[in-house]
Amino acid sequence: MGGDGDGWVGCTCGGRHWGLNGAAGLLLVQEGSILLQHRAPWSHNGDTWGLPGGARDSHETSIEAALREANEEAGIQAELVDVLLVEREDHGNWAYDTVIARTQIGLTAYVANHESLEIRWVALSEVVDYDLHPAFAKAWRKLQTTIDNSLAF
Ligand SMILES: [Zn+2]
């Protein structure tokens, strides 16, 4: 699509990340499962499982970016999503925001563009069994704790 956030950043952590203004992903929870995206093989760290998401455009909040990307990639309708909180992983000159959200009844997700091989609901306890995107794999334990805490209503 080509927003103004598209591009690589040489990060102070020594890595290279996608998103000139940072990036955001949607961690969508529905009855004990989360939505995972099987990333296309040609993408960075391709053929792994992660969250729908991508580069944030300069005019967007991280929530807007995550919801837009989730719509483009997985057909997620923003009006059926309740955002709970945003967890930021700050690298200094780059940051990744995980937008933790819950779905209302009636939400369906599907492969909506070429960036995904598959979109799948995965039980919280089975996420670790997947070949996860390295950054998501690293963040998952903390995110799972956050989900457990924020859904303990
Ligand atoms: Zn970094």
Side-chain angles (χ1 to χ4, degrees):
M1 292 286 222
D4 72 1
D6 285 356
W8 292 98
V9 171
C11 185
T12 47
C13 76
R16 195 173 66 112
H17 308 299
W18 181 252
L20 299 176
N21 310 298
L26 184 67
L27 177 45
L28 191 57
V29 185
Q30 187 180 65
E31 291 182 353
S33 295
I34 64 167
L35 194 70
L36 286 187
Q37 174 199 37
H38 192 184
R39 301 156 56 84
W42 51 264
S43 66
H44 189 52
N45 294 125
D47 203 20
T48 57
W49 293 78
L51 303 178
R56 183 172 70 79
D57 288 340
S58 58
H59 64 278
E60 289 178 315
T61 65
S62 50
I63 291 173
E64 289 167 343
L67 291 173
R68 174 182 51 75
E69 291 279 349
N71 179 261
E72 291 172 5
E73 295 172 359
I76 300 297
Q77 299 164 267
E79 60 271 26
L80 297 179
V81 172
D82 292 325
V83 173
L84 300 171
L85 59 104
V86 178
E87 188 125 315
R88 166 160 287 201
E89 191 188 317
D90 200 340
H91 289 211
N93 67 332
W94 186 87
Y96 186 91
D97 287 324
T98 302
V99 176
I100 300 176
R102 189 167 47 186
T103 65
Q104 298 171 9
I105 294 164
L107 181 139
T108 54
Y110 53 90
V111 172
N113 73 8
H114 63 296
E115 293 177 47
S116 314
L117 292 176
E118 189 181 348
I119 298 288
R120 188 187 291 185
W121 293 101
V122 174
L124 288 167
S125 60
E126 293 173 7
V127 171
V128 292
D129 298 336
Y130 284 72
D131 184 14
L132 300 177
H133 182 279
F136 180 60
K138 217 171 139 189
W140 172 240
R141 186 182 297 272
K142 190 178 167 203
L143 289 170
Q144 190 170 17
T145 305
T146 304
I147 291 169
D148 288 345
N149 291 340
S150 55
L151 291 185
F153 52 92

